Structure formats: C-alpha cells, structure tokens
Amino acid sequence: MRSDVLGLPVDILSREESYSVICEWFKAGIRKPKIIVTAYSEFFVNARRDKDFAKIMKKADLVTPDGKSVLAAVKYGERTQKLKNSKTQNSSGFFNIFRFLGEGLKVGGEILSDKVGESVTGVWLFDKITQNATRNNWRIFVLGGWEDVSGEVTRMLLKRFPNMKIAYDAGESLVGSDPATDRRVVEKINKFKPDFLFVQYRPVVQEKWIASHIGNLKVGVAMGIGGTLDEYSGKLSPAPSWMERRGLKWLWRLVIQPRRWKRMIDAVIVFPLLVFKQSLKQEV
C-alpha cells in the first residue's frame, strides 16, 4: 500500500511483501531498470530541502520504510486525519493542537512498544536478495563503500554462496569529481549486466548517482544501500535487535558514531516536527 509522508511516497509493506514485489518484477520481465529507495526519516527531511532528491523519491518504483519513525509518521497522519474528519472538527485551533500532540505521544509510545509495524531496511533487503540470488540465478554488482569493503563483502558472499554470480568496484572516492572513473564504472557494470546493482555512495548521494545514470545502465534493479556494506562486513556494529525493533537504532548509531550528531538532529527532532507541522496545515 503506497502512503504519504511529508508529500513523499512510502510503500507500507512487510519485509516479505516487499521482497515479493521485487520477485514479481522479474517474473513479469523487467523492461526498464527499477529503482528502490530505502527511506528513513532523514531522507524526508533532505527531500524538503532538495527538490531534485524529492523528484527521485517520487519516481522510485519501491520506497520502503527504513525505520520505525517513518512507519510512525504514517500512522500519526492517519489518526490525525480521522480526528479532522470527526464530529469535533470544529473545535478550537488550540484544542486541536493538544489533540494532535496527544496522538503524537501515543504513537511515540507505540514505537517503544514495537507496535507501529515492520521496517524494511537496506541491510535486510541486501541480505535477503543475496541469500536468494543463486537459486534465482540473479547476478549481483556491488559498487562503492570505498577502500576494499565492496571487495571484502563480495568475498564473504562467495564464501557463503560459491556459485553466486557477483562483481564489484570501489567506485569514486569523491562522487561526481571524476567523470573518467564514472564512465569506467558504468562500462564495467554494463559488461556484467547485473540483475541487482547495490550502490554505497552515502545516503542521497547514491540515489542521485543512480538516478543520473539509470538511463545508461544495463541493470534490472538499482538500490542505494547506505552503510550496509560496513555493517555486513562487521566494520560497523549493528544495533541490538531490541533497539532496532523499538526505533532506537539512531541512538545506537549515535553512541558508536558520535560524529553523526548533526544527522541525528534531523532524524529525531526535525523530522517529527515537520510531520506535526504538516498535520496542522492539513487541518483547515
């Protein structure tokens, strides 16, 4: 089910449902490359500031909720809309503000109680797709991550799945600064003709890279994967499952990567404020 957060799309599907959608693409035959965006709260904040990125999200074939806060925003929007449509919709503005704040607190409690739904993360999708690549005869290309993380993950995957068809490239160290490297990478990808292209060029940057090259890429599905390769290789410790289920992955990342504090402000302060502000705008 496609829903909306801050005027941008998000597909509210379970993990297995999202994977089934991808499988159906291949069963039906992919005529032009598909783009997957795994969107967490920062993506929606960035899209408000960056119209080009907003267009990319709107055109994506699948936008998964990569984080509990995105699911919570959808649930909050549905509940505040019901309040607006209720018999008390003519209540004073101040009263409605308090009602909406109350709903926000309720949804916040549901996040901590793991009752807002199932997030579909880039890490999960990468793992699910690579686990099933050999049996489905899917070809995988891993791009980016810098240093040798893409090569390291490729070797790890080949150790687990010796018959996997997989290739990789570290890509550009400064994305967009070296057109020659870009052309070389695109040629290498097209020569391999992967069913899945996974790109780790940093959030937003990687989605823009995919969108700007998708017309020249011979791929089935392209997807930005953030720090997935670092997490998969063990360079980045994954959040404990109980923290991820309760929407506290951001806190784990802040503890192990304090330099991310500015990004965390967008994730845990700016994003919910924007969602709240949007709900009031829609109230009229």
Side-chain angles (χ1 to χ4, degrees):
M1 179 183 70
R2 178 149 283 198
S3 191
D4 176 280
V5 173
L6 297 178
L8 296 164
V10 59
D11 296 298
I12 305 303
L13 302 168
S14 69
R15 293 182 171 185
E16 290 299 333
E17 287 171 340
S18 298
Y19 177 69
S20 293
V21 167
I22 296 168
C23 291
E24 287 301 318
W25 290 344
F26 286 95
K27 289 179 182 178
I30 297 178
R31 296 181 179 179
K32 65 176 184 178
K34 303 283 189 180
I35 295 178
I36 300 174
V37 173
T38 56
Y40 38 94
S41 54
E42 294 169 69
F43 272 37
F44 295 91
V45 176
N46 282 315
R48 300 273 288 194
R49 302 166 179 160
D50 187 334
K51 292 182 180 179
D52 291 333
F53 182 54
K55 289 178 182 177
I56 291 169
M57 288 189 65
K58 289 177 180 179
K59 291 181 179 179
D61 298 280
L62 180 65
V63 182
T64 70
D66 190 337
K68 296 289 186 174
S69 56
V70 178
L71 293 165
V74 171
K75 181 168 284 192
Y76 172 79
E78 292 172 349
R79 290 185 181 177
T80 53
Q81 188 59 51
K82 286 182 180 179
L83 287 176
K84 295 169 199 175
N85 296 335
S86 69
K87 294 180 181 180
T88 58
Q89 64 179 336
N90 294 322
S91 303
S92 68
F94 282 113
F95 178 71
N96 285 326
I97 288 174
F98 283 116
R99 286 198 303 166
F100 288 4
L101 282 172
E103 287 301 324
L105 291 173
K106 288 180 183 177
V107 173
E110 290 172 16
I111 294 176
L112 294 175
S113 301
D114 189 20
K115 295 179 180 179
V116 295
E118 187 175 46
S119 59
V120 185
T121 66
V123 174
W124 186 87
L125 275 176
F126 179 81
D127 190 44
K128 181 71 173 182
I129 290 166
T130 53
Q131 281 184 41
N132 291 278
T134 301
R135 74 181 65 176
N136 289 310
N137 200 32
W138 287 335
R139 300 168 69 85
I140 307 293
F141 196 103
V142 182
L143 172 64
W146 300 289
E147 296 180 353
D148 190 41
V149 68
S150 56
E152 185 176 344
V153 169
T154 296
R155 290 186 288 273
M156 290 173 65
L157 286 168
L158 284 172
K159 188 173 182 179
R160 290 181 64 190
F161 312 107
N163 296 320
M164 177 181 283
K165 298 173 183 176
I166 185 169
Y168 72 93
D169 195 284
E172 294 184 64
S173 58
L174 296 174
V175 183
S177 66
D178 185 2
T181 299
D182 241 5
R183 287 193 297 270
R184 178 190 62 76
V185 167
V186 170
E187 288 174 4
K188 185 175 180 179
I189 293 168
N190 288 343
K191 185 176 180 180
F192 187 71
K193 295 181 181 179
D195 294 293
F196 287 92
L197 169 64
F198 294 109
V199 183
Q200 182 169 308
Y201 269 167
R202 298 193 310 274
V204 179
V205 174
Q206 62 203 13
E207 282 75 24
K208 286 188 170 184
W209 188 92
I210 290 170
S212 65
H213 292 85
I214 197 69
N216 297 317
L217 289 169
K218 296 178 181 178
V219 303
V221 178
M223 172 179 141
I225 53 173
T228 294
L229 299 181
D230 298 310
E231 190 167 323
Y232 194 91
S233 66
K235 291 184 177 182
L236 180 66
S237 300
S241 59
W242 69 268
M243 293 188 78
E244 186 167 347
R245 290 197 309 272
R246 288 164 174 77
L248 296 173
K249 185 175 180 178
W250 64 270
L251 181 59
W252 175 260
R253 283 288 183 88
L254 184 59
V255 169
I256 64 175
Q257 293 180 310
R259 66 181 183 278
R260 294 168 61 98
W261 67 272
K262 289 184 179 180
R263 288 179 59 183
M264 292 303 106
I265 290 175
D266 278 349
V268 302
I269 298 177
V270 177
F271 177 69
L273 284 176
L274 286 173
V275 171
F276 176 67
K277 185 178 179 181
Q278 183 79 0
S279 70
L280 295 180
K281 283 184 178 179
Q282 295 170 347
E283 188 202 359
V284 179

